[in-house]
Amino acid sequence: MERHVRLRCSQLGVTFESVHGPVRALDNLTLETREREFLSIVGPSGCGKTTLLRVLAGTLVPGEGEVSRIPSPSDPNQAVLLVSQERSLFPWMTVLENAAFGCEMQGVPRRQRESRAREHLRRLGFAGRERAYPHELSLGMKQRVAVARCFLSDPAVMLMDEPFAALDCERRLHLQQALLDLWEQNHKTVVFVTHDVEEAILLSDRILVFSRQPGRVVAEVPVRLPRPRASAVTMTEEFLLLKRLVASKLGLYAGWSEVTA
Amino acid sequence: MGAAWWLLPPAVFLAGWQALAARGALNPLFFPAPSVLAGACVEMLKSGELGAQVGATLLRMLLGSVLGAVAGLACGLSMGAVGAIRRSLEPFISALNSTPKLVLLPMLMLFTGVGETARIVPVALTSFVILAMHALDAVRGVNQAYVELARNYGAGRSALVRRVYLPASLPGIFTGLRLAVGRSLVITVSIELVGARNGLGSMIWMAWQTFATEKLYIGVIATATLGALFHRGLQALEARLIPWGSRAERAA
């Protein structure tokens, strides 16, 4: 099935000025993401993943190249929203206000947006704490709210910047499952950045492996594991093969010779 | 239970003072016993004298600091919002900041005559400068990550101001407000000391000139108490208005 391209960037280049001189964060990067696709980007830390997402979200203007947002026939919406790693919630808003913020900006009336926010928060296991402030929440809870807000705003493309990176293993598994379940309901286009190979395979349809700085795509790995998925899939033979493949492309696990697939 | 610990040092101090005074070890002209002071205080409250003096000070202070704070807040926020306004006003505000407002009193009396205007303007200027500087710092200190986040969700200029810049600068503005109120009290009493017929400052000065030691003490204590009350009151207000602030976090 041929899917529409929703977001395309071509020949992106970004250079930051630092005290030690210019740092090349992204170099000649071209990628596209298709409708209803869950795309992951894995790479070593400092490979320009966050920079790429900020460019895709439109909050950072690249020095070279361009990003195009493409409306699809079924969905004219072109909004691209980012769930960042930290400072993803406004400290001065309650959980409910934070979750409903996207709808608020879209002009949805208060009562309507709050009931929708409550519904999403409940599905993410958040009932009863809607009036709390972010500083009263654990990191995992904060990220749930940020993910809920993103889904509630119903953008064309969702960008997620290692949203679960700072969590312990168990919480991370919970949230990955919650994300998979939410995603199953609407199959949004997602670009998910992580440095965790298992997480990338579990969630995605396609994985792009990035090189060390400056960020370039060194490999593209399609993931054809059946959906809907649950975390038990990580125990299967196919999963392990994919993990070996991606890890070898990343240059992890010294001693392994490159797997050819 | 724990909240009452702050009462211990003054209680010990007063008890010691009272004991020394009772033994006649202190000259009552300079160090009247706490019991004598308390009696005098009750006397002044009954006659309405203390109330009148405190009222006069409060009126000047509140009038001046409210006017100054509102203007200062508006000025600071607009400086934070528009670079051109900041660059053109900042030097004057820093200059005003380092000028003791009391030195303006003679000049003001020259312009407006010896009256309330000359007494209130320095108080207003004190609040104005502090609020302007704190509001400016607060707005400029807003974490750009939140601005970026709101923009990503489609926030326009007015939504950014209402939902990000204002709430994010509220804690900084409140710090300014607490400082401004404290300094306003200082400057009000100072002005009354040198040029007013009523108010705590004037009462203290008159007490010194007539050697009414009890009144002198009571005036100083009343001033300190007012300052402490304002500080605590604003802290409580801050905790109510800024439930996400660092103070609320510590209290929780």
Side-chain angles (χ1 to χ4, degrees), chain A residues 54 57 59 80-84 87-93 97 101-102 104-106 133 135 146 149-150 153, chain B residues 142-143 145-156 159 162-165 167-168 243-245 248-249 252:
Chain A
R54 289 180 63 210
T59 50
V80 175
L81 291 182
L82 173 66
V83 178
S84 53
R87 299 191 202 289
S88 51
L89 299 182
F90 298 108
W92 50 87
M93 294 184 200
E97 284 177 282
F101 183 74
E104 184 186 336
M105 292 299 109
Q106 290 164 6
Y133 282 92
H135 72 83
R149 177 180 56 203
C150 193
S153 310
Chain B
V142 171
N143 194 319
Y146 297 123
V147 177
E148 210 173 89
L149 176 61
R151 280 223 180 96
N152 189 218
Y153 276 87
R162 207 165 31 82
R163 292 303 260 155
V164 180
Y165 278 105
W244 67 89
E249 233 167 310

Side-chain angles (χ1 to χ4, degrees), chain A residues 169 173 198 201-202 225 229-243:
Chain A
C169 187
L173 276 176
E198 284 203 15
I201 300 169
L202 173 65
L225 299 170
R229 288 181 201 158
S231 48
V233 78
T234 56
M235 309 293 178
T236 63
E237 203 61 40
E238 290 158 278
F239 192 93
L240 206 59
L241 278 172
L242 280 165
K243 188 178 167 186

Side-chain angles (χ1 to χ4, degrees), chain B residues 4-21 26 34:
Chain B
W5 279 105
W6 67 272
L7 285 170
L8 190 63
V12 170
F13 179 72
L14 288 176
W17 185 354
Q18 182 71 39
L20 285 176
L26 298 172

Side-chain angles (χ1 to χ4, degrees), chain A residues 197-214:
Chain A
V197 176
E198 284 203 15
E199 183 170 74
I201 300 169
L202 173 65
L203 299 172
S204 335
D205 299 313
R206 190 162 61 105
I207 297 172
L208 296 178
V209 181
F210 268 42
S211 66
R212 231 166 246 297
Q213 205 177 62

Side-chain angles (χ1 to χ4, degrees), chain B residues 154-207:
Chain B
R157 208 178 154 74
S158 89
L160 273 181
V161 169
R162 207 165 31 82
R163 292 303 260 155
V164 180
Y165 278 105
L166 281 181
S169 6
L170 217 46
I173 290 172
F174 240 93
T175 307
L177 201 60
R178 256 187 294 120
L179 258 174
V181 168
R183 295 266 187 83
S184 292
L185 182 63
V186 171
I187 190 84
T188 307
V189 175
S190 311
I191 284 170
E192 288 169 350
L193 213 55
V194 296
R197 294 224 170 75
N198 58 4
L200 286 170
S202 145
M203 184 183 109
I204 292 167
W205 191 251
M206 294 293 284

Side-chain angles (χ1 to χ4, degrees), chain A residues 41-53 162 193-195 210:
Chain A
I41 292 171
V42 288
S45 42
C47 71
K49 293 173 293 192
T50 298
T51 308
L52 172 65
L53 289 194
E162 308 205 37
V193 156
T194 178
H195 60 255
F210 268 42

